[in-house]
């Protein structure tokens, strides 16, 4: 977290020569425009989501213009959708399994990467990071072709597991590969040094890592809903996800702080 | 670190030394065993699930897929790449079998569907990356310069949509765009619209992608700026450097790793995007991910592999160039 | 290549095109959910469960509507695994799933592939007593498309057709013709940017062909559609591509899913849409009475799903008995109601209300003559055909 305080940008008035007064004005203007930009960006990020949230209470649930009444019916509809729940369960299982695999493999490898100096470790590191620069669709296609041609034979009972791009096993495997670079980055950074300047970088990597593994959550179900534009069910589910993640994130950000204090790496947070 | 003797385990057993636990600890503390235990699983994973599929795909890209029974015919050929890039697979390809890429007056530049898709994907990804950069830089700077509850709240609000899943965010824009979508309805109500640009298509796709990947850029930039010593900036200002000078000479070079990293995180998934253009392009925006997906769907596996390899190679090449550029730039102190 | 109605829908589309979008909606949605997992599990173990015969079926979601009733009628137990695409059905069977399933219900154009790969058994005419009841036209299709050595290999179950629908509030009444989607001045309304076509080669390319057959007065375009498979020449494919590329600038877009089509249409995002009849029926059912669906004078493409039985089935007779129930009046009516699509057996209409009959019931045999069943593209121009569609989408 930043250690600067506001005074950095606000020169002490007493010291300022008259010629710098307009500087202060420009500073103010600049700062003002920065805040404006920030506010606009916030709007950009949030308006579509807010509209979705409003529509989750609306009937009919497709356009703002046509809203006749506010209701919880959409929520009832969504919650009573068995497919949604089974998709949710499946997605949680996928996220847990793939994150566990990636973490175990990544942590183990990071020990070696930071402890030994063998040359092939660099090769490993390069390949370990590779998933970050290969678009998901490409690796996904690669894995599908690979599974289909090399392993998937119906008599092995694998085809349903491996061929379907949305099956449990291929998705877990693909996500574990995708999560690996993030684990490697976080853990090796941790092990190399406890330099506090890495704090925010780690937070960031951790954030990326979490996102990677939150993506499969209800994805398949959502995908069908979106393809079929089933707004009445989709809006409430998406809204509930926003709410749940808001809570989880708030907790995570504060817990992160606590660990920072414990590790002695946070000194001037409020 | 002594080279471990593989016989030692048996020696240990012979001497009956220690408990199982002690032996385990000792075994694990030998470098080679330790290396095997720590690196083994990761290596197997990467070899089996990353390298092998990519190599397999590379091999398949030099084959032909029988379109009747969907089997791969393992005879090496370059035909798929020629097919992709408008070679001489069939005589009509460059005329009837291609699309207009560029038309100025009577001048016409034609390309295959794949070439156009690749160019379109790179163009969309570039615009998306630049947009993200332009929108994230000021905010990251602001966040890095300040601290306190407001910063925390801002980061929270920025991260939240980020965690809300790609699909939901893409979907939220479906409601916004369209000739009778939220934006155009609102514009219509105030008498300005509806505007074509807010219909589904390339602009909608770019907005969707920018929205989807913006937080990657913001976080990466923020992480690189947060470590900066802003007293340098202040010093430069005190010495009379203009703001533009400071940004050009101090801030940009110092945050270059963040800029490159963030661009990478935005650019790569944008090139491969296929859900966003599918949803927000209303079937009219054919990015390379969509095309490759369709080929897989049609079981034209060889062609899909060739297309994928082309994308991978071009991205890796772009990244190598980007990293080289950054290093040079940093050395030159520009 | 584009082997079924989903052939060109991008991999993104998990469904089977607009005509089946409602598979994942309504009652079937809830009913299917729990069963999906069970069926999937059961599917792997082959014949199991229950005391009597078990018939494993790979088919569309709405078929679950008939499950219970068939189980009671025939005293068999049925496992249905839902699939969203005919080509996936074929691929799975071709990779060995024919050992695991007894029945599969792909679209008609896929049946020749099952046949060529020797996956399926001839129809047991003693078991399928309702076969003689289905429309003569579909019996002709069977003769034409998948009869070998006098043996038919599939039983048509339900069907539908494609035309276009328009918003009568903005588009004046006119003689139904594809000209409306290809020519600027056919009707007195500004349709530029207000038209959608199917996001699927096997539905949109034939429309281009039917239009060109009339517009160029060249019946060879239509004839190419009428055989066992589509036999366009390369030049014809190029002409169709050019026509569709030229059309693209006038389009609002391409849509492949019913609900997206319906919500976009309802919202007013477009005024004319190439569509199946059932989308329109669903809209009218929910009160959008401004939608008019028409069959263009140039002709229309039709789809029909066809049940086939695995040659590796342990009990082909029982399997055909189950298929027979799919077109039995009571079950057929349940299926028709679930999918807004008429049964291939006209007798099913007796089980429907008058209103339902109007929407998806019996149709006079003469009208069937207008329809051309969807089919595969011939092998020799498959690559050109597929590339042409990619080029249209790229333009």
């Amino acid at each position: 977290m930043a250690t600067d305080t506001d005074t950095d940008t606000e020169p002490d008035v007493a010291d300022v020569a008259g010629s710098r007064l307009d500087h202060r004005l420009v500073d103010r203007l600049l700062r003002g425009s920065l805040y404006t930009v920030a506010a606009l960006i916030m709007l950009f990020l949030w308006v579509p989501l807010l509209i979705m949230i409003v529509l989750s209470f609306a009937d009919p649930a497709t356009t703002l213009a046509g809203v006749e009444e506010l209701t919880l019916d959409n929520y009832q509809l969504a919650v009573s959708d068995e497919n949604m729940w089974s998709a949710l369960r499946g997605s949680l299982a996928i996220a847990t399994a793939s994150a566990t695999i990636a973490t175990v493999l990544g942590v183990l490898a990071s020990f070696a990467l930071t402890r030994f100096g063998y040359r092939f470790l660099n090769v490993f590191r390069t390949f370990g990071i590779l998933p970050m620069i290969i678009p998901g669709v490409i690796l996904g296609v690669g894995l599908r072709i690979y599974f289909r041609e090399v392993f998937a034979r119906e008599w092995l009972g694998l085809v349903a597991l491996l061929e379907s791009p949305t099956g449990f096993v291929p998705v877990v495997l693909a996500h574990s590969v995708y999560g690996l670079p993030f684990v490697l980055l976080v853990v090796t950074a941790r092990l190399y040094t406890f330099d506090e300047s890495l704090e925010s970088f780690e937070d960031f990597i951790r954030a990326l890592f979490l996102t990677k593994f939150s993506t499969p959550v209800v994805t398949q179900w959502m995908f069908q809903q979106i393809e079929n534009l089933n707004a009445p069910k989709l809006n409430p589910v998406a809204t509930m996800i926003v709410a749940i993640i808001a809570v989880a994130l708030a907790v995570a950000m504060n817990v992160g702080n606590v660990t920072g204090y414990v590790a002695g790496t946070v000194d001037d947070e409020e | 670190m002594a080279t471990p003797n593989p016989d030692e385990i048996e020696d240990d057993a012979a001497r009956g030394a220690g408990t199982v636990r002690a032996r385990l600890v000792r075994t694990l503390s030998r470098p080679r065993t330790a290396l095997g235990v720590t690196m083994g699983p990761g290596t197997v994973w990467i070899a089996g699930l990353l390298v092998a599929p990519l190599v397999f795909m590379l091999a398949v890209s030099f084959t032909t897929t029988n379109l009747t029974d969907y089997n791969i015919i393992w005879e090496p050929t370059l035909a798929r790449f020629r097919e992709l890039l408008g070679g001489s697979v069939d005589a009509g390809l460059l005329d009837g079998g291609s699309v207009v890429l560029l038309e100025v007056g009577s001048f016409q530049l034609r390309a295959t569907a794949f070439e156009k898709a690749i160019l379109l994907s790179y163009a969309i990804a570039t615009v998306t990356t630049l947009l993200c950069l332009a929108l994230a830089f000021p905010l990251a700077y602001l966040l890095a310069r300040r601290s306190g509850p407001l910063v925390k709240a801002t980061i929270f609000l920025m991260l939240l949509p980020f965690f809300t899943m790609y699909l939901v965010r893409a979907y939220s824009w479906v409601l916004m765009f369209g000739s009778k979508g939220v934006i155009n309805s609102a514009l219509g109500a105030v008498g300005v619209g509806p505007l074509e640009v807010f219909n589904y298509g390339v602009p909608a796709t770019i907005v969707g992608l920018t929205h989807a990947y913006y937080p990657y850029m913001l976080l990466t930039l923020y992480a690189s700026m947060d470590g900066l010593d802003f007293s340098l900036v202040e010093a430069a200002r005190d010495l009379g450097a203009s703001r533009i000078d400071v940004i050009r000479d101090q801030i940009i070079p110092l945050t270059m790793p963040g800029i490159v990293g963030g661009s990478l995180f935005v650019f790569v998934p944008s090139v491969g995007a296929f859900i966003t253009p599918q949803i927000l392009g209303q079937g009219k925006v054919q990015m390379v991910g969509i095309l490759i997906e369709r080929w897989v769907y049609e079981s034209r596996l060889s062609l899909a592999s060739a297309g994928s390899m082309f994308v991978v190679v071009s991205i890796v090449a772009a990244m190598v160039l980007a990293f080289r550029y950054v290093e040079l730039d940093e050395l030159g102190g520009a | 290549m584009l082997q079924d109605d989903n052939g060109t829908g991008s991999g993104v589309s998990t469904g089977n095109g607009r005509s089946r979008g409602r598979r994942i909606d309504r009652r079937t949605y809830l009913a299917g959910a729990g069963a999906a997992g069970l069926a999937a599990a059961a599917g792997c173990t082959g014949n199991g469960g229950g005391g009597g015969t078990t018939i494993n079926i790979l088919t569309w979601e709405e078929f679950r509507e008939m499950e219970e009733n068939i189980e009671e009628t025939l005293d068999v137990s049925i496992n249905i695994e839902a699939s969203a695409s005919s080509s996936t059905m074929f691929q799975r069977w071709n990779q060995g799933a024919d050992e695991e399933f007894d029945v599969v219900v792909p679209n008609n154009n896929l049946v020749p592939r099952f046949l060529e790969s020797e996956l399926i058994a001839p129809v047991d005419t003693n078991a399928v007593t309702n076969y003689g009841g289905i429309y003569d036209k579909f019996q002709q299709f069977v003769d034409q498309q998948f009869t070998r050595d006098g043996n038919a290999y599939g039983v048509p179950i339900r069907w539908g057709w494609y035309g276009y629908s328009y918003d009568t509030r903005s588009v004046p009444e006119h003689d139904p013709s594809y000209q409306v989607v290809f020519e600027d001045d056919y009707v007195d309304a500004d349709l530029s940017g207000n038209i959608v076509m199917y996001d699927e080669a096997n539905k949109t390319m034939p429309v281009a062909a039917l239009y060109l057959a009339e517009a160029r007065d060249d019946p060879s375009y239509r004839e190419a559609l009428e055989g066992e498979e589509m036999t366009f020449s390369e030049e014809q494919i190029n002409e169709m591509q050019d026509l569709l590329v030229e059309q693209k600038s006038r389009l609002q877009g391409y849509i492949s899913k019913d609900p997206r089509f319906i919500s976009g249409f309802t919202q007013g995002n477009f005024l004319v849409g190439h569509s199946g009849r059932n989308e329109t029926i669903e809209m009218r059912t929910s009160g959008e009475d401004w939608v008019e669906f028409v069959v263009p004078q140039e002709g229309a493409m039709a789809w029909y799903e066809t049940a086939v039985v695995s040659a590796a089935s342990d009990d082909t007779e029982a399997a055909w008995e189950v298929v027979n129930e799919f077109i039995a009046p009571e079950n057929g009516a349940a299926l028709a109601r679930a999918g807004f699509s008429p049964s291939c057996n006209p007798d099913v209409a007796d089980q429907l209300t008058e209103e339902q009959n109007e929407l998806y019931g019996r149709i006079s045999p003469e009208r069937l003559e207008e329809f051309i069943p969807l089919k595969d593209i011939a092998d020799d121009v498959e690559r050109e055909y597929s590339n042409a569609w990619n080029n249209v989408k790229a333009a």
Side-chain angles (χ1 to χ4, degrees), chain A residues 111-133:
Chain A
F111 277 114
L113 288 176
T114 47
R115 237 183 103 187
F116 303 113
Y118 298 116
R119 187 162 298 161
F120 89 90
L121 291 180
N122 279 330
V123 179
F124 180 90
R125 200 196 317 267
T126 308
F127 278 101
I129 307 289
L130 199 59
M132 272 178 139
I133 62 162

Side-chain angles (χ1 to χ4, degrees), chain B residues 190-269:
Chain B
V190 296
V192 191
L195 296 179
E196 173 61 28
V197 74
F198 294 117
N199 215 330
Y200 300 110
V202 172
T205 305
I206 290 175
V207 168
L209 288 173
T210 304
H211 193 251
Y213 298 126
Y214 174 78
Y216 280 90
M217 180 67 90
L218 179 74
L219 284 168
T220 320
L221 284 179
Y222 170 64
S224 76
M225 283 186 194
D226 198 28
L228 282 190
D229 182 358
F230 282 98
S231 59
L232 276 176
V233 175
E234 295 304 320
R237 290 283 286 121
D238 288 342
L239 290 172
S242 74
R243 282 188 181 77
I244 293 172
D245 287 343
V246 168
I247 290 176
R248 199 189 59 211
D249 297 342
Q250 305 285 335
I251 298 178
I252 290 187
L254 287 172
T255 52
M256 201 41 114
I259 294 175
V260 172
S263 302
L264 193 129
F265 287 134
V266 175
F267 188 81
V268 170

Side-chain angles (χ1 to χ4, degrees), chain C residues 161-183:
Chain C
W161 65 95
Y162 302 103
Y164 65 87
S165 41
Y166 62 95
D167 184 339
T168 52
R169 296 167 302 186
S170 309
V171 182
E173 210 177 321
H174 55 275
D175 288 335
S177 164
Y178 291 124
Q179 281 164 279
V180 76
V181 297
F182 289 113
E183 293 172 15

Side-chain angles (χ1 to χ4, degrees), chain B residues 162-181:
Chain B
F162 185 40
F163 281 99
T164 316
M165 289 182 305
Y166 190 79
L167 271 175
V168 173
R169 282 174 287 145
Y171 163 72
S172 67
W173 286 105
V174 169
L175 301 170
M176 301 292 286
F177 281 91
S179 59
K180 293 283 182 340

